[in-house]
Amino acid sequence: MESVNGAEGNAPGGGSRVILAIDPSSTILGYAVFDGNRLIAAGEIDATKVPYDRRFMHITSELSKLKKRYGITEIACERAVRFQGKRIPALEVAVTSVKKWAQRYRLPISFYSPAEWKVSAVGDATADKQAVARILS
């Protein structure tokens, strides 16, 4: 896990922690919102029909709506990983966009590998997305 902006701790003023968990993508970004340990919302931000040069602006605009709706206090984001040893530039741009968005709102952000996510959610680093979804729903 990599932390930016001090992600550990409670929300300012002693309120509950409302965490926006993000599975970044340049096309369909997945998200889940947790109030403490309770899942309160999940969905996708679909940018497939948005021109590439406006895609990340669209995604961060939608993230801002989620922040306002749920009172997000911190971010947990999957870090960009390599596929077969190669960088994935679009994914790196997506992760950087999320990081800059979080910094704009001074939201603490932590980055996790896919295996760390899965162990945290279901206790199995090899679980597929359907297994994670079943446990979280």
Side-chain angles (χ1 to χ4, degrees):
M1 175 188 74
E2 168 192 347
S3 246
V4 177
N5 298 341
E8 294 78 25
N10 293 327
S16 67
R17 295 171 65 190
V18 181
I19 302 166
L20 174 60
I22 298 174
D23 182 2
S25 171
S26 63
T27 54
I28 300 175
L29 178 142
Y31 70 86
V33 180
F34 296 88
D35 186 353
N37 291 328
R38 187 173 60 91
L39 177 67
I40 59 173
E44 298 174 335
I45 298 172
D46 187 347
T48 54
K49 294 185 172 125
V50 178
Y52 190 80
D53 63 337
R54 291 187 290 216
R55 208 168 268 183
F56 298 105
M57 186 181 308
H58 169 74
I59 289 170
T60 56
S61 173
E62 294 300 308
L63 290 174
S64 294
K65 291 175 187 175
L66 291 171
K67 178 190 175 302
K68 183 176 180 179
R69 180 174 184 187
Y70 296 106
I72 305 299
T73 62
E74 60 189 271
I75 309 297
C77 184
E78 187 174 301
R79 82 170 55 98
V81 294
R82 294 176 179 258
F83 181 72
Q84 296 179 345
K86 297 180 183 176
R87 291 176 49 237
I88 307 169
L91 181 59
E92 290 175 351
V93 171
V95 171
T96 299
S97 296
V98 169
K99 182 178 177 179
K100 288 182 177 188
W101 172 82
Q103 289 173 335
R104 178 175 6 142
Y105 288 104
R106 295 188 172 117
L107 292 171
I109 184 168
S110 297
F111 294 90
Y112 300 88
S113 71
E116 289 171 318
W117 274 106
K118 292 173 184 179
V119 168
S120 174
V122 299
D124 180 1
T126 63
D128 62 15
K129 288 187 180 205
Q130 291 77 21
V132 174
R134 278 192 306 273
I135 290 189
L136 293 177
S137 16

